[in-house]
Amino acid sequence: MLSAKMEDYLKAIYRLQRDGDGPVTTSALADALDVTSPTASSMLDTLEERGFVEREKYQGTRLTRDGETVALEVIRHHRLLETYLTEQLGFDWTEVHDEADRLEHHISEEFERRVAAALDDPVVDPHGDPIPSETLEPLDGTPGITLAEQEPGDVVVVERVSDRDPEELSYLSKQGITPDQRVEVLDVAPIGMMTVRVDGDEVSLPDRVTEMIQVITVEEAEL
Amino acid sequence: MLSAKMEDYLKAIYRLQRDGDGPVTTSALADALDVTSPTASSMLDTLEERGFVEREKYQGTRLTRDGETVALEVIRHHRLLETYLTEQLGFDWTEVHDEADRLEHHISEEFERRVAAALDDPVVDPHGDPIPSETLEPLDGTPGITLAEQEPGDVVVVERVSDRDPEELSYLSKQGITPDQRVEVLDVAPIGMMTVRVDGDEVSLPDRVTEMIQVITVEEAEL
DNA sequence: CCTTGGCGTTAGTTGACCCTAATGCTGAGC
DNA sequence: GCTCAGCATTAGGGTCAACTAACGCCAAGG
């Protein structure tokens, strides 16, 4: 009734809507899914017909409530799978993304329930991303504070690490930057680079990366 | 590179080749996959081009070695998944077939290895069907002895129960007819019906069903 | 206010997988 | 050895999800 491709489109629209603000442009969506704009445009026609998105010509696309529910269902599958693969099958949490991306479209409700039960109904996945509830309530959309916004002297705890780029994810993991890790900001260079102390070691990170790390402040620097 | 559909065709050809003997007819394949003969015929053209099957016009189709290897890979995935779902996720072994049928096409080699390891490299699935090895050696093709061939007084142990029809499977499971179960043949009626004792209870089964149950003889009736 | 570059959409094509209708082969019985 | 039923194949067409090429909208700068 709803193809794997359509689910991918709805999931991508959901993410883009959260990240940027306002309606999602066709080209941004096409980029995210690695298809051409006409392809995305025509799929959006179909999704609109079926009531999953609303569009205004030349202005952009927004999910309807139904579309959001489908996206949340797929994201729930994805994050439960990532958690399961990591915790029960011994995968490294930096490599589960692709596997989950394929399987998320093919598991039954029964499978979802049993996996959730085996994990004791987790509320976050191994990256620190929240797992939508079984009832698919909308997730809190507030953006959260990133490491990029911190000043020297601030001490924070890592809450989430974005799972967009597996390369970066793996690198950060090797540097010890994982959910629940304590991080102290040492220096912020004017060239878009930050130096932090993690687990005794000093690590330098570019803005592109620190923006992907969501944190909770533990101590503010004294002014 | 090889679509889920193509894998389904190769798996079905493999089964039909094992069950019947000689090359597989287009209509038998079409029946098994619930498509029309022309659809099957044209897919067979494609599979022949790619070297997975050999055909002789109007005579039938046989798997090549490559085709057999693909079929065994898919069957390995299927049976590992059935075993895993049953043993680690608490599914009933009568209901895992459909889930495995979808997931078998979408798991990675890494996933396959980890599932096999988690199960301690099993050699049979919960139905008693053999699981192809990681190296995908051809399986022993000898048909095995079925419950249908037994005489009153024979005592056997159930080795495999075919997983074709989930309804029958569930019924048999409820009657206690599962792998490793001891079964005593009480009576064979001329109307294609057999009565057996299982776990103290008497159960009557039609030929259609007893032919699906493979057994190992424990005691022969005295003549 | 008009042009132009960038983005969005429309039109037309392709490949995978399905269908129905029409045609071709083959073997069993007369 | 011919006919005909039954199965296989060919022909033609539909849908889905992708593409390229062509065209339409719109806002920013001259």
Short mmCIF file of all heavy atoms in Angstrom, two decimals, chain C residues 2-13:
data_model
loop_
_atom_site.label_atom_id
_atom_site.label_comp_id
_atom_site.label_asym_id
_atom_site.label_seq_id
_atom_site.Cartn_x
_atom_site.Cartn_y
_atom_site.Cartn_z
P DC C 2 9.59 46.58 -19.50
OP1 DC C 2 9.11 47.95 -19.81
OP2 DC C 2 8.74 45.41 -19.82
"O5'" DC C 2 10.99 46.32 -20.18
"C5'" DC C 2 12.19 46.84 -19.58
"C4'" DC C 2 13.26 45.77 -19.47
"O4'" DC C 2 13.60 45.57 -18.08
"C3'" DC C 2 12.89 44.37 -20.00
"O3'" DC C 2 14.09 43.81 -20.51
"C2'" DC C 2 12.42 43.65 -18.74
"C1'" DC C 2 13.45 44.21 -17.74
N1 DC C 2 13.06 44.15 -16.31
C2 DC C 2 14.08 44.07 -15.34
O2 DC C 2 15.27 44.05 -15.72
N3 DC C 2 13.74 44.04 -14.02
C4 DC C 2 12.46 44.08 -13.66
N4 DC C 2 12.17 44.06 -12.36
C5 DC C 2 11.41 44.14 -14.63
C6 DC C 2 11.75 44.17 -15.92
P DT C 3 14.14 42.73 -21.65
OP1 DT C 3 14.27 43.46 -22.93
OP2 DT C 3 13.03 41.79 -21.46
"O5'" DT C 3 15.52 41.99 -21.36
"C5'" DT C 3 16.62 42.75 -20.82
"C4'" DT C 3 17.31 41.96 -19.73
"O4'" DT C 3 16.56 41.99 -18.50
"C3'" DT C 3 17.54 40.47 -20.06
"O3'" DT C 3 18.89 40.19 -19.77
"C2'" DT C 3 16.58 39.75 -19.10
"C1'" DT C 3 16.61 40.70 -17.91
N1 DT C 3 15.50 40.64 -16.94
C2 DT C 3 15.81 40.62 -15.58
O2 DT C 3 16.94 40.65 -15.14
N3 DT C 3 14.71 40.60 -14.75
C4 DT C 3 13.38 40.57 -15.12
O4 DT C 3 12.48 40.54 -14.27
C5 DT C 3 13.12 40.57 -16.54
C7 DT C 3 11.72 40.52 -17.05
C6 DT C 3 14.19 40.61 -17.38
P DT C 4 19.75 39.10 -20.58
OP1 DT C 4 20.84 39.82 -21.26
OP2 DT C 4 18.80 38.26 -21.34
"O5'" DT C 4 20.40 38.21 -19.41
"C5'" DT C 4 20.75 38.83 -18.17
"C4'" DT C 4 20.60 37.84 -17.04
"O4'" DT C 4 19.29 37.98 -16.42
"C3'" DT C 4 20.69 36.35 -17.46
"O3'" DT C 4 21.43 35.67 -16.47
"C2'" DT C 4 19.24 35.90 -17.47
"C1'" DT C 4 18.74 36.69 -16.25
N1 DT C 4 17.25 36.82 -16.13
C2 DT C 4 16.71 37.02 -14.88
O2 DT C 4 17.35 37.08 -13.87
N3 DT C 4 15.34 37.15 -14.87
C4 DT C 4 14.49 37.09 -15.97
O4 DT C 4 13.28 37.22 -15.83
C5 DT C 4 15.14 36.88 -17.24
C7 DT C 4 14.32 36.79 -18.50
C6 DT C 4 16.48 36.75 -17.28
P DG C 5 22.47 34.54 -16.85
OP1 DG C 5 23.69 35.14 -17.40
OP2 DG C 5 21.69 33.55 -17.64
"O5'" DG C 5 22.80 33.88 -15.43
"C5'" DG C 5 22.74 34.68 -14.24
"C4'" DG C 5 22.06 33.88 -13.14
"O4'" DG C 5 20.61 34.05 -13.22
"C3'" DG C 5 22.30 32.37 -13.20
"O3'" DG C 5 22.43 31.91 -11.85
"C2'" DG C 5 21.04 31.82 -13.85
"C1'" DG C 5 19.98 32.78 -13.32
N9 DG C 5 18.81 32.97 -14.18
C8 DG C 5 18.76 32.91 -15.56
N7 DG C 5 17.57 33.15 -16.03
C5 DG C 5 16.79 33.37 -14.90
C6 DG C 5 15.40 33.68 -14.80
O6 DG C 5 14.57 33.82 -15.69
N1 DG C 5 15.02 33.83 -13.46
C2 DG C 5 15.85 33.71 -12.38
N2 DG C 5 15.31 33.88 -11.19
N3 DG C 5 17.14 33.42 -12.47
C4 DG C 5 17.54 33.27 -13.76
P DG C 6 22.97 30.50 -11.47
OP1 DG C 6 24.22 30.66 -10.70
OP2 DG C 6 22.93 29.69 -12.72
"O5'" DG C 6 21.86 29.96 -10.48
"C5'" DG C 6 21.25 30.85 -9.55
"C4'" DG C 6 19.91 30.29 -9.12
"O4'" DG C 6 18.89 30.63 -10.10
"C3'" DG C 6 19.90 28.76 -9.02
"O3'" DG C 6 19.21 28.40 -7.84
"C2'" DG C 6 19.15 28.32 -10.27
"C1'" DG C 6 18.16 29.47 -10.41
N9 DG C 6 17.60 29.64 -11.75
C8 DG C 6 18.25 29.51 -12.96
N7 DG C 6 17.47 29.73 -13.99
C5 DG C 6 16.23 30.04 -13.42
C6 DG C 6 15.00 30.38 -14.04
O6 DG C 6 14.74 30.48 -15.23
N1 DG C 6 14.01 30.62 -13.09
C2 DG C 6 14.17 30.53 -11.73
N2 DG C 6 13.10 30.79 -10.98
N3 DG C 6 15.32 30.22 -11.14
C4 DG C 6 16.30 29.99 -12.05
P DC C 7 19.40 26.95 -7.23
OP1 DC C 7 20.00 27.16 -5.91
OP2 DC C 7 20.01 26.06 -8.24
"O5'" DC C 7 17.90 26.46 -7.00
"C5'" DC C 7 16.97 27.34 -6.37
"C4'" DC C 7 15.60 27.07 -6.94
"O4'" DC C 7 15.57 27.45 -8.33
"C3'" DC C 7 15.20 25.59 -6.89
"O3'" DC C 7 14.03 25.49 -6.09
"C2'" DC C 7 14.96 25.21 -8.35
"C1'" DC C 7 14.70 26.57 -9.00
N1 DC C 7 15.01 26.65 -10.45
C2 DC C 7 14.01 27.05 -11.34
O2 DC C 7 12.90 27.34 -10.91
N3 DC C 7 14.30 27.10 -12.67
C4 DC C 7 15.52 26.78 -13.11
N4 DC C 7 15.75 26.86 -14.43
C5 DC C 7 16.54 26.37 -12.22
C6 DC C 7 16.25 26.31 -10.91
P DG C 8 13.23 24.15 -5.96
OP1 DG C 8 12.49 24.18 -4.68
OP2 DG C 8 14.15 23.05 -6.30
"O5'" DG C 8 12.17 24.32 -7.13
"C5'" DG C 8 11.14 25.30 -7.00
"C4'" DG C 8 9.99 24.94 -7.92
"O4'" DG C 8 10.42 25.15 -9.29
"C3'" DG C 8 9.55 23.48 -7.83
"O3'" DG C 8 8.13 23.45 -7.77
"C2'" DG C 8 10.10 22.83 -9.09
"C1'" DG C 8 10.24 23.99 -10.06
N9 DG C 8 11.40 23.90 -10.94
C8 DG C 8 12.69 23.62 -10.59
N7 DG C 8 13.53 23.62 -11.61
C5 DG C 8 12.72 23.90 -12.70
C6 DG C 8 13.04 24.02 -14.07
O6 DG C 8 14.15 23.89 -14.62
N1 DG C 8 11.92 24.32 -14.84
C2 DG C 8 10.65 24.48 -14.35
N2 DG C 8 9.70 24.76 -15.23
N3 DG C 8 10.33 24.38 -13.06
C4 DG C 8 11.41 24.08 -12.30
P DT C 9 7.31 22.13 -7.82
OP1 DT C 9 6.04 22.34 -7.12
OP2 DT C 9 8.21 21.02 -7.44
"O5'" DT C 9 6.99 22.02 -9.39
"C5'" DT C 9 6.38 23.14 -10.04
"C4'" DT C 9 6.16 22.81 -11.51
"O4'" DT C 9 7.44 22.77 -12.19
"C3'" DT C 9 5.47 21.48 -11.78
"O3'" DT C 9 4.37 21.75 -12.63
"C2'" DT C 9 6.55 20.63 -12.47
"C1'" DT C 9 7.42 21.71 -13.12
N1 DT C 9 8.84 21.34 -13.36
C2 DT C 9 9.35 21.40 -14.63
O2 DT C 9 8.69 21.73 -15.60
N3 DT C 9 10.68 21.05 -14.74
C4 DT C 9 11.52 20.67 -13.72
O4 DT C 9 12.69 20.38 -13.95
C5 DT C 9 10.92 20.62 -12.41
C7 DT C 9 11.75 20.21 -11.23
C6 DT C 9 9.63 20.96 -12.29
P DT C 10 3.36 20.58 -13.07
OP1 DT C 10 1.99 21.15 -13.05
OP2 DT C 10 3.69 19.36 -12.32
"O5'" DT C 10 3.74 20.32 -14.61
"C5'" DT C 10 3.82 21.42 -15.51
"C4'" DT C 10 4.27 20.91 -16.87
"O4'" DT C 10 5.71 20.64 -16.85
"C3'" DT C 10 3.60 19.61 -17.34
"O3'" DT C 10 3.20 19.81 -18.69
"C2'" DT C 10 4.69 18.56 -17.19
"C1'" DT C 10 5.96 19.37 -17.42
N1 DT C 10 7.20 18.89 -16.78
C2 DT C 10 8.35 18.78 -17.53
O2 DT C 10 8.41 19.05 -18.71
N3 DT C 10 9.46 18.36 -16.82
C4 DT C 10 9.51 18.03 -15.48
O4 DT C 10 10.56 17.67 -14.98
C5 DT C 10 8.27 18.16 -14.76
C7 DT C 10 8.23 17.81 -13.30
C6 DT C 10 7.18 18.57 -15.43
P DA C 11 2.44 18.67 -19.52
OP1 DA C 11 1.52 19.40 -20.42
OP2 DA C 11 1.91 17.66 -18.57
"O5'" DA C 11 3.60 17.99 -20.38
"C5'" DA C 11 4.61 18.80 -20.99
"C4'" DA C 11 5.48 17.93 -21.90
"O4'" DA C 11 6.70 17.57 -21.20
"C3'" DA C 11 4.84 16.61 -22.32
"O3'" DA C 11 5.22 16.34 -23.66
"C2'" DA C 11 5.42 15.61 -21.33
"C1'" DA C 11 6.83 16.16 -21.14
N9 DA C 11 7.44 15.85 -19.86
C8 DA C 11 6.83 15.78 -18.63
N7 DA C 11 7.65 15.48 -17.64
C5 DA C 11 8.88 15.35 -18.26
C6 DA C 11 10.15 15.05 -17.76
N6 DA C 11 10.41 14.81 -16.47
N1 DA C 11 11.17 14.99 -18.65
C2 DA C 11 10.93 15.22 -19.94
N3 DA C 11 9.76 15.53 -20.53
C4 DA C 11 8.77 15.57 -19.63
P DG C 12 4.70 15.02 -24.45
OP1 DG C 12 4.42 15.45 -25.83
OP2 DG C 12 3.65 14.37 -23.63
"O5'" DG C 12 6.00 14.09 -24.48
"C5'" DG C 12 7.25 14.64 -24.90
"C4'" DG C 12 8.34 13.60 -24.69
"O4'" DG C 12 8.72 13.57 -23.29
"C3'" DG C 12 7.87 12.18 -25.03
"O3'" DG C 12 8.95 11.50 -25.68
"C2'" DG C 12 7.57 11.59 -23.67
"C1'" DG C 12 8.68 12.23 -22.84
N9 DG C 12 8.46 12.20 -21.41
C8 DG C 12 7.29 12.36 -20.70
N7 DG C 12 7.44 12.25 -19.41
C5 DG C 12 8.81 12.01 -19.25
C6 DG C 12 9.58 11.81 -18.09
O6 DG C 12 9.21 11.80 -16.91
N1 DG C 12 10.93 11.57 -18.38
C2 DG C 12 11.45 11.56 -19.64
N2 DG C 12 12.75 11.31 -19.74
N3 DG C 12 10.74 11.76 -20.74
C4 DG C 12 9.44 11.97 -20.47
P DT C 13 8.79 9.93 -26.14
OP1 DT C 13 9.20 9.88 -27.55
OP2 DT C 13 7.47 9.42 -25.71
"O5'" DT C 13 9.93 9.20 -25.28
"C5'" DT C 13 11.16 9.87 -24.99
"C4'" DT C 13 12.09 8.96 -24.20
"O4'" DT C 13 11.87 9.16 -22.77
"C3'" DT C 13 11.89 7.46 -24.46
"O3'" DT C 13 13.17 6.85 -24.56
"C2'" DT C 13 11.13 6.99 -23.23
"C1'" DT C 13 11.68 7.91 -22.15
N1 DT C 13 10.74 8.12 -21.01
C2 DT C 13 11.24 8.02 -19.72
O2 DT C 13 12.41 7.77 -19.47
N3 DT C 13 10.31 8.23 -18.73
C4 DT C 13 8.97 8.52 -18.88
O4 DT C 13 8.25 8.68 -17.91
C5 DT C 13 8.52 8.60 -20.25
C7 DT C 13 7.07 8.90 -20.55
C6 DT C 13 9.42 8.41 -21.24
#
